Amino acid sequence: FPRGWLEWNDPSRDTQRGFWLRQGLEGAAGLGDFAHRFTASSAQFAHDGRAPTASVNFITAHDGFTLRDLLCYEERHNLANGEDNRDGHAHNLSNNCGIEGPSDDPAVQAERGRLQRALLATLLLSQGTPMLLAGDELGHSQQGNNNAYCQDNETTWLAWIGARDPASEAAHLSAFVARLVALRREASVLRSTRWWPAEPPKGAPGIRWLRPDGQSMQEADWHGGTALAILFETAAADRGAWLVLVNAGPAAVSFALPAGSWQWRLATDDPAPDADAAPHQSHAGTVEVPRSSIRIARR
């Protein structure tokens, strides 16, 4: 498409699913692919004067699994559609966290919630134009139906009333998405309309990719590992920077913080953060990021 058009970024969808849900499995994505999609896929969109906003990033859409079902089902369950479960896509890049379908296991529920929040944060923190599927902010499930166009019933209806209970999972997830949207609005670097230079000059505004030990990523680092830090350094007039710590691995990772005083703004491993709590401050040192989690801070 020419300048002025936005396009769905299907490879970004597949990469983020592969990065967060398929580590060690078929369809896994690495740090290099993650970084490329996180910064709006310049190889596909940086031509003919197009801006990063041309990339419409999404994790789920009207076709396929909902976000909740990505973490509950590895197989489609479309028998109700009347086509012997042959309709719908069979390549979903999902991960049921060990149990197919709903589960009362607290460990499974916690893992599913953690991955939901990590995927939502990736969507709202990525460069480009985010597209959120209605209902994903409520944890809506279609019981594994990934082709529910013919279901005008509880399968597809959104239970808005569930979010009215402040103690419900739907209310917590909706509040989390609201915080992400507010964070994106606050951090102009997350919605830049210009492409960031691949290697910005020292002291100039830009994105810097760091290993957990605080050193710059090298060529070999992009082909292994599941954790990195993304440092957005803004112009001098902005007097600040934003830091995104990413850990898609199975164990906690300790990150060395860049110099300065950091105000922690969001942690995807917290299922019900207190929106009124004062942001936690950290000075240069280290911080541990749990598995399958993202932390965001401002300097």
Side-chain angles (χ1 to χ4, degrees), residues 213-230:
D213 64 4
Q215 300 301 307
S216 296
M217 292 281 286
Q218 302 300 315
E219 177 65 25
D221 298 323
W222 293 110
H223 305 291
T226 53
L228 83 165
I230 309 167

Side-chain angles (χ1 to χ4, degrees), residues 210 230-233 240-244 256-265 279-285 296-299:
L210 308 174
I230 309 167
L231 177 63
F232 291 89
E233 292 188 314
W242 287 87
L243 181 66
V244 180
L257 297 177
S261 178
W262 293 96
Q263 185 183 71
W264 294 99
R265 308 302 297 275
H280 174 65
Q281 297 281 142
S282 290
H283 295 282
I296 304 104
R298 184 175 188 178
R299 184 165 60 194

Side-chain angles (χ1 to χ4, degrees), residues 1 100 212:
F1 283 85
E100 187 76 355

Side-chain angles (χ1 to χ4, degrees), residues 49-269:
R50 302 185 81 185
T53 49
S55 171
V56 177
N57 304 320
F58 64 105
I59 306 297
T60 56
H62 65 279
D63 275 340
F65 281 147
T66 67
L67 179 61
R68 182 66 178 177
D69 287 353
L70 271 183
L71 285 309
C72 294
Y73 300 93
E74 293 202 8
E75 305 292 338
R76 60 192 174 189
H77 294 265
N78 297 353
L79 284 172
N81 298 347
E83 298 184 46
D84 297 323
N85 209 41
R86 294 174 299 180
D87 62 309
H89 210 298
H91 184 63
N92 296 292
L93 293 172
S94 57
N95 187 329
N96 65 13
C97 299
I99 296 177
E100 187 76 355
S103 173
D104 295 327
D105 186 327
V108 172
Q109 291 179 340
E111 183 68 6
R112 288 173 174 176
R114 181 164 44 245
L115 287 167
Q116 277 187 108
R117 293 187 295 273
L119 283 165
L120 286 166
T122 299
L123 173 64
L124 269 301
L125 297 175
S126 293
Q127 309 286 287
T129 302
M131 183 184 82
L132 179 67
L133 174 65
D136 278 355
E137 78 281 17
L138 304 173
H140 174 64
S141 172
Q142 294 179 169
Q143 294 78 54
N145 193 324
N146 74 350
N147 190 35
Y149 73 97
C150 56
Q151 302 295 330
D152 183 12
N153 49 49
E154 288 85 353
T155 302
T156 54
W157 296 345
L158 303 184
W160 302 106
I161 195 170
R164 294 182 184 176
D165 178 0
S168 69
E169 181 183 354
H172 290 160
L173 190 60
S174 181
F176 176 79
V177 173
R179 291 190 66 196
L180 275 172
V181 172
L183 194 63
R184 184 180 178 90
R185 183 184 299 121
E186 177 187 357
S188 60
V189 294
L190 300 178
R191 43 189 171 78
S192 174
T193 58
R194 296 184 179 182
W195 296 100
W196 294 92
E199 296 183 8
K202 187 174 183 179
I207 292 180
R208 286 171 172 80
W209 307 92
L210 308 174
R211 302 185 316 214
D213 64 4
Q215 300 301 307
S216 296
M217 292 281 286
Q218 302 300 315
E219 177 65 25
D221 298 323
W222 293 110
H223 305 291
T226 53
L228 83 165
I230 309 167
L231 177 63
F232 291 89
E233 292 188 314
T234 58
D238 294 333
R239 295 178 298 173
W242 287 87
L243 181 66
V244 180
L245 305 181
V246 176
N247 177 20
V253 172
S254 182
F255 284 84
L257 297 177
S261 178
W262 293 96
Q263 185 183 71
W264 294 99
R265 308 302 297 275
L266 190 113
T268 64
D269 52 288

